[in-house]
Short mmCIF file of all heavy atoms in Angstrom, two decimals:
data_model
loop_
_atom_site.label_atom_id
_atom_site.label_comp_id
_atom_site.label_asym_id
_atom_site.label_seq_id
_atom_site.Cartn_x
_atom_site.Cartn_y
_atom_site.Cartn_z
N SER J 258 3.33 9.74 5.78
CA SER J 258 4.09 10.03 6.99
C SER J 258 3.48 11.25 7.69
O SER J 258 2.80 12.08 7.06
CB SER J 258 5.56 10.32 6.66
OG SER J 258 5.69 11.54 5.97
N GLN J 259 3.72 11.34 8.98
CA GLN J 259 3.28 12.49 9.76
C GLN J 259 4.44 12.92 10.64
O GLN J 259 5.20 12.11 11.15
CB GLN J 259 2.10 12.12 10.69
CG GLN J 259 0.76 12.44 10.14
CD GLN J 259 -0.36 12.14 11.12
OE1 GLN J 259 -1.03 11.13 10.99
NE2 GLN J 259 -0.58 13.04 12.06
N HIS J 260 4.50 14.24 10.82
CA HIS J 260 5.56 14.78 11.67
C HIS J 260 5.06 15.99 12.42
O HIS J 260 4.38 16.84 11.83
CB HIS J 260 6.76 15.19 10.80
CG HIS J 260 7.86 15.80 11.59
ND1 HIS J 260 8.78 15.08 12.32
CD2 HIS J 260 8.18 17.11 11.81
CE1 HIS J 260 9.59 15.88 12.92
NE2 HIS J 260 9.27 17.13 12.62
N PRO J 261 5.29 16.09 13.71
CA PRO J 261 6.04 15.14 14.55
C PRO J 261 5.12 13.98 14.98
O PRO J 261 3.92 14.03 14.81
CB PRO J 261 6.44 16.00 15.76
CG PRO J 261 5.31 16.99 15.88
CD PRO J 261 4.87 17.29 14.45
N SER J 262 5.71 12.96 15.56
CA SER J 262 4.90 11.85 16.07
C SER J 262 4.34 12.18 17.46
O SER J 262 3.27 11.69 17.83
CB SER J 262 5.75 10.59 16.14
OG SER J 262 6.88 10.79 16.96
N ARG J 263 5.08 12.97 18.19
CA ARG J 263 4.62 13.41 19.51
C ARG J 263 5.03 14.86 19.71
O ARG J 263 6.12 15.25 19.29
CB ARG J 263 5.24 12.59 20.64
CG ARG J 263 4.98 11.12 20.63
CD ARG J 263 5.73 10.47 21.77
NE ARG J 263 5.25 10.89 23.06
CZ ARG J 263 4.39 10.19 23.80
NH1 ARG J 263 3.96 9.03 23.38
NH2 ARG J 263 4.01 10.63 24.97
N VAL J 264 4.17 15.62 20.35
CA VAL J 264 4.53 16.99 20.65
C VAL J 264 3.86 17.42 21.95
O VAL J 264 2.69 17.08 22.19
CB VAL J 264 4.18 17.96 19.49
CG1 VAL J 264 2.70 17.91 19.14
CG2 VAL J 264 4.61 19.37 19.79
N ILE J 265 4.64 18.08 22.77
CA ILE J 265 4.11 18.66 24.00
C ILE J 265 4.30 20.16 23.92
O ILE J 265 5.41 20.63 23.61
CB ILE J 265 4.87 18.09 25.24
CG1 ILE J 265 4.72 16.58 25.31
CG2 ILE J 265 4.34 18.74 26.53
CD1 ILE J 265 5.58 15.91 26.37
N CYS J 266 3.25 20.89 24.14
CA CYS J 266 3.38 22.34 24.04
C CYS J 266 2.63 23.00 25.18
O CYS J 266 1.80 22.38 25.85
CB CYS J 266 2.85 22.83 22.70
SG CYS J 266 1.07 22.74 22.52
N LYS J 267 2.93 24.25 25.38
CA LYS J 267 2.28 25.00 26.46
C LYS J 267 0.99 25.62 25.94
O LYS J 267 0.87 25.96 24.74
CB LYS J 267 3.21 26.08 26.98
CG LYS J 267 4.41 25.53 27.73
CD LYS J 267 5.20 26.61 28.39
CE LYS J 267 6.35 26.00 29.22
NZ LYS J 267 7.18 27.01 29.85
N SER J 268 0.07 25.78 26.84
CA SER J 268 -1.21 26.40 26.50
C SER J 268 -0.99 27.78 25.89
O SER J 268 -0.17 28.56 26.36
CB SER J 268 -2.04 26.52 27.79
OG SER J 268 -3.35 26.84 27.51
N GLY J 269 -1.69 28.04 24.81
CA GLY J 269 -1.59 29.35 24.15
C GLY J 269 -0.68 29.36 22.95
O GLY J 269 -0.72 30.29 22.14
#
Side-chain angles (χ1 to χ4, degrees):
Chain J
S258 70
Q259 263 183 259
H260 177 79
S262 57
R263 300 177 65 99
V264 57
I265 300 172
C266 70
K267 291 188 176 178
S268 192

